[in-house]
Amino acid sequence: MFKGTTIIVAAISAGLLSATAQANWTLNQEESSIYFATVKNATTSEVHQFKMLGGEITEGGKASLVIKLASVDTANPIRDERMQKQLFETDKYPDATVSVDLGSEGVKVGSQMLTATLNLHGVDKEISTQVFVEQDGKSIKVSSLAPLVISAPDFSLDKGIEALRSLAALTSINLTVPVTFRLVYDMQK
């Protein structure tokens, strides 16, 4: 759930970048990242990431981000597998997506609030986050200025979190996760 939330935040940021130029832009997976933090047993925090991302910004101002949920990386293969099967149900919901329509005007370089649609676990929800956009002519970079907080119940992920808690014999796993991201889109010629 936490990773899915992170993926959505990244997608929203990508949308802001698309409006800065009239060109097609493709997400650079090697330069982009989405991280999320989890808290278990009330005091143990861990940072995780998604390793496979995709997306684009079109000339018409449509921005998208795709997060491959099976690419969740918690530095623990057993936990990764449990998150894929119990939480994200990647056999039914392989991707989380973020989409933004920036329109013909787009957004400006600098700090701004961005609102996008996150689809996670079959649920669409609008999310908003503060981002910083940079452009150097060859790439657009969108970074979170503050963590985006995703709530598991908003995306019907609370049952999956309870299943993970039970499997790991934990007393608790927080139902909200902060997500940060840096998305880099390269200009396509």
Side-chain angles (χ1 to χ4, degrees):
M1 171 190 113
F2 302 112
K3 292 180 182 178
T5 302
T6 304
I7 295 175
I8 294 173
V9 172
I12 291 175
S13 297
L16 289 176
L17 293 178
S18 68
T20 61
Q22 292 299 316
N24 288 320
W25 303 82
T26 301
L27 186 77
N28 182 328
Q29 182 174 298
E30 293 177 8
E31 298 290 324
S32 300
S33 60
I34 297 175
Y35 288 92
F36 65 97
T38 60
V39 178
K40 62 185 181 184
N41 293 336
T43 60
T44 303
S45 299
E46 297 172 314
V47 176
H48 316 294
Q49 68 176 319
F50 289 99
K51 295 205 140 193
M52 294 180 65
L53 310 171
E56 66 180 358
I57 301 170
T58 69
E59 220 174 279
K62 305 275 187 195
S64 65
L65 174 67
V66 177
I67 302 163
K68 297 292 184 185
L69 298 176
S71 74
V72 65
D73 182 7
T74 66
N76 179 324
I78 293 171
R79 181 171 45 211
D80 293 349
E81 183 178 333
R82 287 177 176 174
M83 289 183 85
Q84 292 164 9
K85 290 181 180 179
Q86 303 294 323
L87 179 62
F88 297 125
E89 297 182 279
T90 57
D91 57 328
K92 294 180 194 173
Y93 309 104
D95 302 326
T97 62
V98 178
S99 59
V100 175
D101 185 351
L102 301 171
S104 60
E105 294 297 315
V107 294
K108 297 180 181 179
V109 170
S111 174
Q112 53 218 293
M113 182 63 73
L114 180 63
T115 299
T117 299
L118 170 60
N119 178 281
L120 174 62
H121 206 247
V123 176
D124 286 326
K125 182 169 175 51
E126 281 195 0
I127 55 171
S128 296
T129 189
Q130 188 76 25
V131 300
F132 188 79
V133 178
E134 302 171 81
Q135 183 180 8
D136 65 10
K138 296 180 183 178
S139 65
I140 296 173
K141 299 174 181 112
V142 179
S143 302
S144 53
L145 286 177
L148 171 66
V149 178
I150 303 295
S151 176
D154 287 349
F155 297 95
S156 300
L157 293 169
D158 41 328
K159 290 179 185 175
I161 290 179
E162 175 55 26
L164 293 176
R165 187 206 60 75
S166 179
L167 283 169
L170 300 171
T171 57
S172 66
I173 298 176
N174 281 12
L175 293 177
T176 59
V177 295
V179 176
T180 60
F181 54 91
R182 175 174 165 78
L183 303 174
V184 178
Y185 290 83
D186 293 332
M187 180 184 282
Q188 301 303 300
K189 297 181 181 184

